[in-house]
Amino acid sequence: MPESPYPMISIDDALAIIQREVQPLPPIMIPFHAALGLVLAEDVFADEPMPPFAASRVDGFAVMAADGPGPRRLVGDQAAGYMAGIRVEPGAAARITTGAPVPPGADAVVMVEQTEEKGGLAHILSGTIETGANIRPIGEDIEAGQLVLPHGTVLGPAEIGLLGTVGKAQVAAQRRPIVAVMSTGDELVEPGEKLQPGQIRDTNRFTLMAAVQQAGAEPLDLGIVRDKQNDLKATIERSLVEADALLTSGGVSMGQLDLVKPYLAARGVVHFGRVKVKPGKPVTFATVDGKPCFAMPGFPVSALVSFEIFVRPALLKMAGHTRLERPRVKAVLARPVRHDSDRTEFQRVSLTRQADGALTASTTGFQGSGRLLSMVGANGVIVLPHGQGDFEAGAVVEAIILGPIEISGDSHLK
Ligand code: AMP
Ligand code: MG
């Protein structure tokens, strides 16, 4: 048996190497409304207070609080969006709408439900009126000069809206890394093709491009590459020009046609080529021209699990995120699980919150590294550490949450 030239390293060492080699991309300026999901690369302050003027909270009448209840002379209307140029004197009132500036002189607004308009007068029916009633003071929500969004904030709908509020039309943000994705293998054909003997359809390119997108990065489809030195070279070189990172699958085992590792080694530095992990032992990480290159094993589950463990945190870091890990929880095994203790194993599970509050993990059937069905519908993976053997039903293990947790007894609309 030929020996791999690459030492077998632990998952933690592999992750530490990736963290050492992968850095955030330089920020860009983009229109704020196009920044959903991106990481903010500057501190954003409010130049003006919000609201910028004392504004009515309700539709009603602007009055002087000291006047108390009773009839009022109407001096005009103040709707939202302009200054009506009216003044509220003692004994007077102005009609006002929600969000309109409170006219000078007025120090309270009485909501329309507590008034009656009759005989050209506004009758205030409420009891005492507090100064400031129903008025949003200047700067109630945001003070002038306030830091509203610090550097590093992940921009969701609320954050995007706030950028609009403070008039930050262009914003510095971390851009999405462009990730070139290619499949390697002479046996692979496109999903639209009819299979000839010996052929299979390409799975990994589509899995990995979807996973890249879900991680907030932008996939660049470089197709299927044949197990030919020149094809591989041309496509890898193209990826180094057009993308920020490279993601391949297949061709990293010990077969004669496994050409990915040797090419990466010749062109750059292979930082590791074997990890104590199941599935995904031959997962490979290199840098070429300073760009991270991840070579996933060919078996579809190995490719996707390797992406989850090694590539996703790296892409998040490139995109400026500081929280790189998926949440982990403790879960109770619903059934016994076989585990070969040489490598840390990631098994696909469905995580369910039981009526008594316990979180249980049930493995999703046969865990073969080619059986992508074991990942379909899996909302978690359990981590079975190396050095430990089989696990009994009821054992507590660590689980990584991949999707929404099922609630036992929850009636789904089917
Ligand atoms: P390799 O590491 O290239 O020897 O591939 C290992 C196994 O994964 C082989 O059975 C391949 O046919 C299969 N495989 C490799 N790439 C893909 C792919 N893109 N889609 C589906 N199966 C693949
Ligand atoms: Mg192959």
Side-chain angles (χ1 to χ4, degrees), residues 9 53-54 123 207 217 245 273 349 369 374:
I9 68 169
F53 48 86
H123 295 266
T207 311
V349 294
S369 56
S374 75

Side-chain angles (χ1 to χ4, degrees), residues 210-256:
V212 162
Q213 256 184 300
Q214 215 171 48
E218 196 179 303
L220 171 68
D221 185 357
L222 293 190
I224 297 169
V225 183
R226 298 297 158 208
D227 292 320
K228 306 277 178 301
Q229 192 75 253
N230 283 343
D231 288 3
L232 192 69
K233 175 179 164 157
T235 314
I236 291 181
E237 291 304 324
R238 185 182 156 203
S239 78
L240 293 168
V241 175
E242 296 182 26
D244 302 303
L246 168 63
L247 188 52
T248 69
S249 70
V252 287
S253 325
M254 289 295 289
Q256 281 176 348

Side-chain angles (χ1 to χ4, degrees), residues 184-185 187 227 250-251 258:
T184 71
E187 73 279 31
D227 292 320
D258 289 335

